[in-house]
Amino acid sequence: MSDVKKFLYVNRKPPHGTIYALESLEVVLIGAAFEQDVALAFLDDGVFQLVKGWNTEELGSKNFQPAYTALGDYDIQKVYVEKESLEERGLSEDDLLEMTYEDEDDDWAEKSSIRIVSREEMAQIMRDSDVILSF
Amino acid sequence: MSAGFYEVNGKQVPHDEEGYITNLSDWSKELAEVIAKQEGIDMTEEHWDVVNFLREYYDEYQIAPAIRVLVKAIKKKFGPEKGNNKYLYELFPYGPAKQACKIAGLPKPTGCV
Amino acid sequence: MGMLHTVNKSPYSCNTLQSCLSHASEGDVVLLIEDGVYAALKGGAAAEMLSSAQGVRICALSADVKARGLDGRLIDGVEVVDYGGFVDLVEQTDKTQAWL
């Protein structure tokens, strides 16, 4: 299919203080129906969206973190997380949610969607995308 | 439909203008039967398989799956003779995701307009 | 009795905390709420700003800490308080300044 475009959703906001993170997630879920080549990027405070262990009970809002782990079902296989953004915040890959997809070309083996990339690689990923949606 | 109530065992359960229940915790098997009846559906074991599956999916991921995701997941769990659009539309003629979610007491699936 | 300062922005996207700390005096309380709690994350660049604040009591709101998966991951010296504790802080101080 020649009309498949490379979509990149760029996430730069923490999860709870504003509506951006939830809106981005909703757009990703809706957009998945269009069967484009979709990738997610998490940088700056956006990396906080993937820090595991949310407990929103006391806050009294819905915990939408489990929805990130459903993205594999929606054929999202590329989740780029910027290394420098993690390090500045004292975080590493071990602090992040497990996000997986099943690889059709490899007997449906479960693989991690998360790819830690440098700032330089992230810039290249942005340059290589056809459409960028920023949240 | 306008917003109102389902009557279950003499209790009133509020729903929105499309028939989705307002408080997810109000759901019960009896309520599911009531919603199904209103939708013109007689709940069979096959209907329950889908409804129960949706509830489990929601419990795990906190979202109602899109139809494409539902079909794929049903196929994985119950096999290809059930995991296809035709079978699911026969069970839920007005849209498996939409109608089955309503019966399962879940919110309308994201992206379902 | 000092002043209560609340900070609700992430120190990694706004200079709110920095500005607050440079205006806070000895005996004041800084309460981190909403995205402000990220400042207290152990190992983060912003945590140093907090640990070098002299004579200022640093607190973080429990609901916001837990919602972000930061329970048990804050630097030493930060007191986690619940909503009731927030009210107590308001009562114990002369006035409140909300840094936005």
Side-chain angles (χ1 to χ4, degrees):
Chain A
M1 253 204 314
S2 60
D3 54 352
V4 170
K5 286 193 169 152
K6 289 173 94 151
F7 276 68
L8 182 69
Y9 292 88
V10 175
N11 297 283
R12 295 185 48 256
K13 300 276 194 291
H16 299 297
T18 63
I19 197 74
Y20 286 98
L22 182 58
E23 289 286 302
S24 171
L25 189 58
E26 296 245 312
V27 175
V28 170
L29 291 168
I30 294 166
F34 296 99
E35 304 195 352
Q36 302 290 311
D37 178 0
V38 175
L40 270 52
F42 292 87
L43 59 147
D44 299 338
D45 276 353
V47 300
F48 285 135
Q49 291 181 32
L50 303 185
V51 172
K52 64 187 167 195
W54 297 2
N55 177 353
T56 59
E57 213 168 301
E58 199 175 330
L59 195 60
S61 70
K62 180 176 160 171
N63 183 354
F64 60 94
Q65 186 157 54
Y68 289 93
T69 61
L71 291 173
D73 293 346
Y74 287 74
D75 287 330
I76 285 154
Q77 312 183 346
K78 290 171 289 191
V79 176
Y80 300 109
V81 183
E82 192 177 88
K83 189 165 173 281
E84 287 86 343
S85 297
L86 287 174
E87 284 169 355
E88 279 162 19
R89 290 162 181 76
L91 298 169
S92 72
E93 189 171 1
D94 296 340
D95 298 311
L96 306 182
L97 278 179
E98 264 185 56
M99 294 174 75
T100 58
Y101 70 98
E102 292 174 346
D103 190 347
E104 199 175 342
D105 302 324
D106 189 8
D107 198 23
W108 305 100
E110 197 170 83
K111 297 184 177 177
S112 174
S113 321
I114 293 188
R115 304 163 198 206
I116 308 292
V117 298
S118 69
R119 193 158 277 164
E120 208 180 314
E121 289 168 311
M122 188 63 94
Q124 188 61 43
I125 290 161
M126 291 171 177
R127 283 195 290 274
D128 290 343
S129 303
D130 298 313
V131 181
I132 297 180
L133 293 159
S134 192
F135 292 88
Chain B
M1 190 183 262
S2 56
F5 299 93
Y6 293 113
E7 299 275 349
V8 190
N9 301 331
K11 211 185 130 219
Q12 289 198 317
V13 177
H15 65 72
D16 68 11
E17 64 281 355
E18 291 180 278
Y20 292 86
I21 57 170
T22 320
N23 309 310
L24 305 192
S25 56
D26 282 343
W27 190 85
S28 63
K29 297 227 160 197
E30 295 74 32
L31 173 64
E33 300 275 4
V34 171
I35 303 174
K37 196 169 232 174
Q38 195 141 328
E39 294 281 316
I41 288 172
D42 266 330
M43 291 295 283
T44 64
E45 205 178 310
E46 286 73 27
H47 290 96
W48 275 113
D49 281 344
V50 177
V51 166
N52 289 332
F53 177 83
L54 279 171
R55 289 189 61 82
E56 283 164 26
Y57 194 94
Y58 189 84
D59 199 42
E60 182 167 359
Y61 298 115
Q62 298 295 304
I63 51 171
I67 176 68
R68 190 168 58 91
V69 173
L70 175 66
V71 170
K72 204 162 76 174
I74 293 272
K75 188 173 175 180
K76 198 171 157 190
K77 187 161 180 188
F78 298 103
E81 66 281 0
K82 294 189 174 179
N84 62 72
N85 270 308
K86 185 171 174 289
Y87 174 81
L88 289 168
Y89 270 94
E90 275 165 11
L91 290 178
F92 302 100
Y94 290 98
K98 233 172 173 172
Q99 231 174 0
C101 281
K102 197 183 289 183
I103 296 166
L106 308 185
K108 200 161 101 164
T110 298
C112 194
V113 283
Chain C
M1 277 282 281
M3 207 195 309
L4 173 65
H5 305 263
T6 63
V7 174
N8 75 338
K9 297 289 191 300
S10 161
Y12 299 100
S13 9
C14 293
N15 64 359
T16 311
L17 177 68
Q18 196 184 353
S19 194
C20 165
L21 289 176
S22 55
H23 292 86
S25 321
E26 207 173 313
D28 283 358
V29 185
V30 173
L31 173 64
L32 305 170
I33 60 172
E34 299 169 24
D35 288 336
V37 299
Y38 285 121
L41 177 59
K42 204 181 280 176
E48 285 166 38
M49 241 194 289
L50 287 181
S51 26
S52 59
Q54 295 290 316
V56 177
R57 185 174 156 203
I58 311 282
C59 302
L61 192 61
S62 144
D64 290 320
V65 170
K66 288 179 189 158
R68 288 162 180 78
L70 306 185
D71 205 12
R73 309 192 45 179
L74 304 187
I75 52 166
D76 294 339
V78 173
E79 259 174 83
V80 177
V81 301
D82 60 12
Y83 287 119
F86 189 166
V87 175
D88 292 340
L89 288 174
V90 173
E91 278 182 344
Q92 288 159 16
T93 46
D94 294 331
K95 56 181 163 255
T96 301
Q97 179 169 9
W99 295 80
L100 301 176

